[in-house]
Structures are given as C-alpha cells and as structure tokens.
C-alpha cells in the first residue's frame, strides 16, 4: 500500500508497479499530487503548490526506468529567464539559464566587481552541488563518513562549505551588493529555512536552479497526472477520496491499512506523508520516528491562487518582489505573526518564454508564514494578508484588474488541516543547523514493512527531491524483497511472484501526504 499520491508516493508507485509489485494507492484527496494541487479559477485550474521544476534529469530517469519518456506525457518548456527580481528602489534583475547572460546582467545591474563575485559564487556552489549530489542527495542514507573521502580528495570543498556560518553570514563575505545578498539568501526559503539560520552549505540550491528551470505546460498538476497514468499502465490501482485511519501491525510488522470503509491487508506500506504524523501516532504506528527527525518545523506560507488581468511591469514566469528591509520578515514569523514587510513570490503560470496572455491569466503568490497547529484560518489576518500582498505589489508596479477575496487564500492553518500533523509546515523538518540533513528519517523505518517517502523524508523538500525519495523507498523495498522471505508473495500470470504492496494515502484524516 502507498499512503498518499504526492510526488514521492507517485514515484514509488511507478517504480514498484513497473517492477511487478501489486500496488494500490490510497489518496484522501480527489486527485493526485499532494501539495502539488490546483484550485479552480475563471481561467482554469491554477497551481496552489510547488511551481518551480528543476533537475529535470530526475524525471527523465524516473520515466525512463518505467519504459517511457517524460516528453511522451507532459510538455516541459525550458525557461530562458530563471526568475525576475524586483526591489523597491525600482531596480530589476533577471537571472538566466545561460550563465554568461546572468553574468552580463549582474555586471549591468551592480557593476564589474559584483559580476566577479557572482562568477566565484557560481563556481563554488556548482562545486558543492557536484560533490554532494551523489553521497548525500542520491544515497539511501546521508552519512558524514561518506563525505569525508570526498572532502579529502577535494580540500577546497571545506572552505566552500563555510562551516559554522549561516547563509546570510557567508553571503555577506561573498557579495558587497546588499541586493545580491538578499537575492541569494532567498534560496534558504526554498527548503523552508531562514537565511540567518540556515547553514551556508544550502547556497548550493542556486546551483540546482542555475542548471535549468522548466515550466509544465498547463500547470504542475499535469506532471502528477502523468505519473499516475504511467503507474496505472504498469498495473497500479488508485483510490481517491480514501481516508486512511490506521496502519495495523501484527507480529511486529505491517499487516494492513484501514480506511473508514475497508481493511486492506498488505505486506508493505509506503507512507507518503509528513513523518511527524507517524511520530505523533496519528495512524497508530509510530515506526520509531523520533522527535528530532521531525522537529523543529520549517516554514509555512500564505498562498494566493487566482486569475486576473495584469497591468504594470510585465512578469516573467517566476518573479520575486523583495521586502523593504532584508530578512525583516523572519523575526515576525518566528513570533508566529504574519509579516508586515514580506518578500513576495509571484508565479505567472501562463507566461513562458515571451508569452504575453491577452486575457485573464493564472497567478500564484506566496509569502512566508509560521507553522501552526490550528486548523481554522484567522479572518482578520486573512484580510491583512490581502491588503499587504496587493498593496505591496501595486507599489512595486504590478497590479491586477481585480483583487481576489480570501477564498483564494490558503493559510498555514488550512495547510495543517489539509495535511494533519504537519503544523502547516510545507517542507518538513527545518533545515537549520549543519546536521539537519542527517536528522531526517530515511526510507526504512524500525517497523518491518513500513517505508517512508515524501518531502519530509531524506533527501528533503522540493519536487525532484520528493521524487528521489520515492525512488529510494522503491529501491529499499525491492532490495528487502530480494533478500528476505518475510513478505507474502502472490503469483503473477507469467509465473513469477511479486510482493503484495498497498500504497495508502498519507493524507488520511490523520495524515498529510
């Protein structure tokens, strides 16, 4: 059983079904995707979750491993402009997929010295990404000992990692222009962190983005739908509107998954949800997920999803409108408040390379917020968020013909209700601290037959990382099936035997997916 049809669960379902396993996916929602969800608008379904797709090779490998190609199922458009950045002094900076164009843009934006600093930063973060991708991000379990020989072979990695420094501190040493420090510090939030507390090593996120950003034609949810279709073609079965209430244990291992209507016997469960839900015992099985593996929590967000006509500064597909005072929002978030001077991310979903929609187009706007354990949005805060968001954008030159009402807003409380046990945190455990990457739970748990996948599991948050977690879960299951006889086997028409696997949706009444 796979609990949850988020990206991690979908990736596991694809690989396991293709390997011949009997796969069932139970999903609380009405459609696949987990946090990669949509809401209705006058211009069609608009994204209300992840919008940035990087590291395309992860999906090329995933679809290729299932005997097909990602291009056979979705249209991915490589974006020339990675993101457009705006400051309240009127300055604007585009960063490009072509690093030489980014270098020239920064020289024009902030001078030759800034361009030289960027060139050095780009080289350093590329070196870090290349060094860490294999032994950390792609490995079944991250290990400091696995990195030791890598660092010994490349001693320049140690100063590049800037151990003991936060991202903000390291960027202050690397860039003299405060706008560039603010821009590259922003990447800490991509995994739910704060620049002043996230380790400097997370600057390598820039390298992941610099290698290319793709727009999914029609919206990110098309990718989740495509993954479902490939899994189904390989024999996986999907059940939506299926709330998981309990993972049953018997004899010290997984025995079944329960929904409100049915008991599903199974040998293996892939839990595609925030592991904190298991740590809290919300589905019965704690699976030895310790508190340190899921706490402290990462950032949540206030997310607008709507359609409107836009005037003013023409947006790119991805846009960032920076706060007046760098990092001023984070103390307020730490104090459990809506920030009054937020940085705003705007995704113009219908804009790609030079596209200029003539009518209403779809937008998603994200501002960071605190994780919260409640489930009811605060009306007064919703209205403040509306005023703050759209007044701020208008001041910076982006206006809409109509301002959406609060029904177009998802708050931290509403995320927590949608993904119980998560506190509305969108990225799982906080990435703060040098050892945070080693603290996350991995695919295997202490309960035989129970495995984990999703953004709260190693290797962490982000669409390609969630997909990687699904691969790691599938690999662990197939390895364990090959090396033990503890699993119930069922004969296939071809005479081979496969494990009976149920993929139950982590987004049960008590679980987030």
């Amino acid at each position: 059983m796979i609990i949850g049809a988020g990206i991690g669960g979908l990736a596991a379902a694809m690989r396991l079904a293709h390997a011949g396993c009997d796969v069932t996916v139970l999903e609380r929602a009405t459609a696949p995707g987990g946090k990669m969800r949509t809401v209705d608008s006058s211009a069609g379904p608009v994204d209300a979750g992840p919008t940035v797709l990087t590291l395309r090779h992860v999906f090329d490998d995933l679809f290729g491993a299932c005997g097909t190609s990602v291009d056979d199922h979705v249209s991915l458009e490589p974006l020339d402009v990675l993101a457009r950045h705006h400051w309240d002094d009127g300055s604007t900076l585009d960063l490009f997929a072509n690093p030489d164009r980014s270098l020239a843009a920064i020289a024009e934006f902030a001078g030759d010295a800034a361009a030289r600093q960027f060139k050095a930063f780009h080289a350093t973060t590329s070196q870090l990404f290349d060094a860490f991708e294999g032994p950390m991000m792609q490995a079944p379990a991250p290990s400091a000992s696995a990195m030791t020989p890598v660092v010994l072979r490349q001693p320049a990695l140690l100063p590049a990692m800037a151990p003991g420094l936060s991202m903000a501190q390291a960027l202050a040493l690397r860039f003299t222009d405060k706008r560039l420090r603010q821009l590259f510090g922003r990447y800490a939030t991509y995994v739910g962190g704060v620049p002043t507390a996230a380790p400097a090593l997370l600057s390598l996120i820039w390298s992941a983005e610099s290698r290319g950003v793709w727009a999914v034609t029609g919206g990110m949810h098309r990718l989740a739908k495509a993954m479902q279709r490939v899994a189904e073609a390989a024999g996986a079965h999907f059940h939506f509107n299926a709330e998981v209430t309990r993972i049953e244990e018997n004899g010290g291992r997984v025995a079944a998954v329960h929904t409100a209507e049915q008991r599903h016997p199974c040998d293996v469960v892939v839990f595609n949800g925030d592991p904190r839900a298991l740590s809290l015992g919300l589905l019965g099985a704690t699976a030895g997920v310790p508190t340190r593996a899921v706490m402290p929590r990462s950032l949540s967000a206030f997310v607008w999803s709507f359609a409107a006509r836009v005037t003013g500064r023409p947006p790119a597909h991805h846009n960032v409108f920076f706060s007046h005072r760098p990092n001023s929002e984070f103390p307020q978030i730490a104090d459990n408040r809506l920030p009054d001077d937020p940085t705003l991310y705007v995704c113009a979903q219908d804009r790609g390379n030079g596209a200029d929609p003539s009518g209403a187009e779809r937008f998603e706007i994200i501002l960071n917020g605190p994780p919260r354990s409640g489930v009811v949005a605060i009306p007064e805060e919703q209205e403040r968020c509306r005023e703050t968001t759209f007044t701020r954008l208008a001041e910076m030159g982006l206006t809409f013909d109509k301002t959406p009402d609060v029904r177009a807003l998802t708050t931290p409380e509403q995320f927590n209700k949608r993904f119980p046990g998560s506190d509305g945190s969108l990225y799982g455990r906080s990435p703060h601290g040098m050892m945070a990457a080693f603290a996350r739970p991995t695919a295997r748990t202490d309960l035989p037959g129970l495995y984990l996948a999703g953004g709260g599991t190693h290797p962490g948050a982000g669409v390609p990382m969630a997909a990687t977690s699904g691969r790691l879960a599938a690999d662990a299951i197939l390895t364990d099936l090959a090396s033990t006889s503890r699993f119930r086997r069922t004969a296939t028409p071809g005479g081979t035997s496969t494990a009976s696997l149920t993929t139950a949706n982590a987004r049960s009444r008590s679980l987030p997916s």
Side-chain angles (χ1 to χ4, degrees):
M1 285 283 172
I2 297 174
I3 300 178
I7 295 302
L10 290 168
M14 289 171 65
R15 289 181 179 273
L16 291 168
H18 186 73
C21 296
D22 179 10
V23 178
T24 299
V25 183
L26 303 179
E27 169 58 56
R28 181 191 187 200
T30 60
K35 294 184 179 74
M36 190 183 284
R37 64 190 184 96
T38 64
V39 299
D40 292 332
S41 79
S42 60
V46 56
D47 285 331
T51 60
V52 180
L53 182 63
T54 59
L55 303 180
R56 175 189 165 138
H57 68 84
V58 170
F59 292 92
D60 288 330
D61 292 347
L62 171 62
F63 281 76
C66 297
T68 186
S69 166
V70 67
D71 291 323
D72 292 336
H73 300 274
V74 292
S75 176
L76 300 181
E77 179 187 16
L79 297 175
D80 294 334
V81 176
L82 300 177
R84 181 163 294 158
H85 307 86
H86 305 269
W87 288 265
D88 58 5
D89 63 1
S91 57
T92 300
L93 174 64
D94 286 356
L95 292 179
F96 297 91
N98 182 326
D100 290 336
R101 292 186 67 188
S102 291
L103 189 66
I106 288 175
E108 182 178 353
F109 173 76
D112 291 340
R116 289 192 295 271
Q117 292 165 352
F118 168 73
K119 186 175 182 179
F121 174 74
H122 180 76
T124 296
T125 54
S126 295
Q127 182 185 30
L128 288 171
F129 186 91
D130 291 338
F132 277 81
E133 184 180 22
M136 289 291 292
M137 298 177 229
Q138 301 298 326
S143 166
S145 61
M147 283 305 304
T148 301
V150 177
V151 174
L152 289 175
R153 288 193 301 270
Q154 303 178 64
L157 286 174
L158 194 58
M161 292 164 60
L165 296 183
S166 69
M167 280 185 72
Q169 290 169 329
L171 290 168
L173 297 175
R174 289 170 173 159
F175 291 102
T176 53
D177 190 293
K178 66 178 184 181
R179 296 168 300 177
L180 295 178
R181 297 198 295 264
Q182 188 177 18
L183 189 162
F184 291 109
R186 180 74 184 168
Y187 284 94
T189 67
Y190 286 23
V191 290
V194 171
T196 53
L201 179 61
L202 289 185
S203 295
L204 61 74
I205 297 171
W206 156 251
S207 183
E209 183 161 300
S210 72
R211 296 170 191 223
V213 174
W214 283 262
V216 182
T217 301
M220 292 285 283
H221 68 289
R222 296 280 182 92
L223 178 60
K225 283 282 194 180
M227 295 172 73
Q228 177 192 348
R229 289 194 300 271
V230 172
E232 287 177 327
H237 302 280
F238 284 76
H239 300 276
F240 296 100
N241 295 306
E243 288 198 18
V244 173
T245 58
R246 182 165 67 95
I247 297 172
E248 178 185 335
E249 303 176 40
N250 188 17
R253 62 162 300 105
V254 163
V257 168
H258 291 254
T259 65
E261 297 80 20
Q262 188 175 353
R263 177 181 182 270
H264 299 267
C266 58
D267 304 304
V268 174
V269 170
V270 178
F271 177 64
N272 175 213
D274 194 314
R276 183 168 182 265
L278 294 180
S279 180
L280 294 172
L282 296 185
L283 289 187
T286 60
V289 178
T291 299
R292 63 177 173 79
V294 295
M295 295 294 288
R297 305 304 288 163
S298 60
L299 295 173
S300 186
F302 296 82
V303 178
W304 295 94
S305 301
F306 63 100
R309 294 174 183 268
V310 65
T311 59
R313 294 186 180 187
H317 190 86
H318 299 295
N319 309 268
V320 181
F321 293 80
F322 285 107
S323 60
H324 296 290
R325 304 178 305 280
N327 299 326
S328 65
E329 64 198 284
F330 300 117
Q332 293 178 314
I333 290 172
D335 197 31
N336 198 34
R337 290 187 287 154
L338 168 75
D340 58 21
D341 182 26
T343 290
L344 300 171
Y345 163 79
V346 178
C347 177
Q349 183 175 328
D350 298 308
R351 293 184 182 246
N353 296 325
D356 185 12
S358 58
E361 52 186 301
R362 294 169 290 182
F363 290 93
E364 180 177 353
I365 302 173
I366 302 175
L367 58 156
N368 294 314
R372 289 174 176 166
S373 59
V375 295
V376 179
I378 304 168
E380 299 83 359
E381 186 178 66
Q382 289 177 296
E383 287 296 338
R384 287 201 309 275
C385 183
R386 183 172 181 263
E387 177 69 18
T388 297
T389 301
F390 294 99
T391 299
R392 175 83 173 129
L393 290 175
E395 289 172 350
M396 297 186 73
L398 183 65
T399 58
F400 303 92
D401 67 339
K402 57 183 178 181
T403 302
D405 63 35
V406 296
R407 290 175 295 179
L409 175 65
T410 306
T411 68
E413 294 86 358
Q414 290 165 321
F415 280 117
N416 185 48
K417 183 177 181 180
R418 184 173 293 273
F419 307 108
S422 69
D423 281 357
S425 169
L426 300 181
Y427 314 88
R429 188 191 191 280
S430 166
H432 296 166
M434 281 297 292
M435 301 305 292
F438 302 99
R440 293 190 196 97
T442 57
R444 288 186 176 91
T445 72
D446 293 339
L447 178 63
L450 180 60
Y451 300 80
L452 305 178
T457 302
H458 170 72
V463 176
M465 295 298 100
T468 299
S469 77
R471 174 183 65 78
L472 295 174
D475 288 349
I477 290 165
L478 294 173
T479 298
D480 292 348
L481 288 173
S483 62
T484 73
S485 58
R486 295 182 300 158
F487 296 93
R488 175 167 55 86
R489 315 290 285 189
T490 57
T492 65
T496 59
S497 63
T498 63
S500 174
L501 264 183
T502 300
T503 305
N505 179 5
R507 298 161 52 196
S508 69
R509 177 167 44 212
S510 50
L511 273 207
S513 107

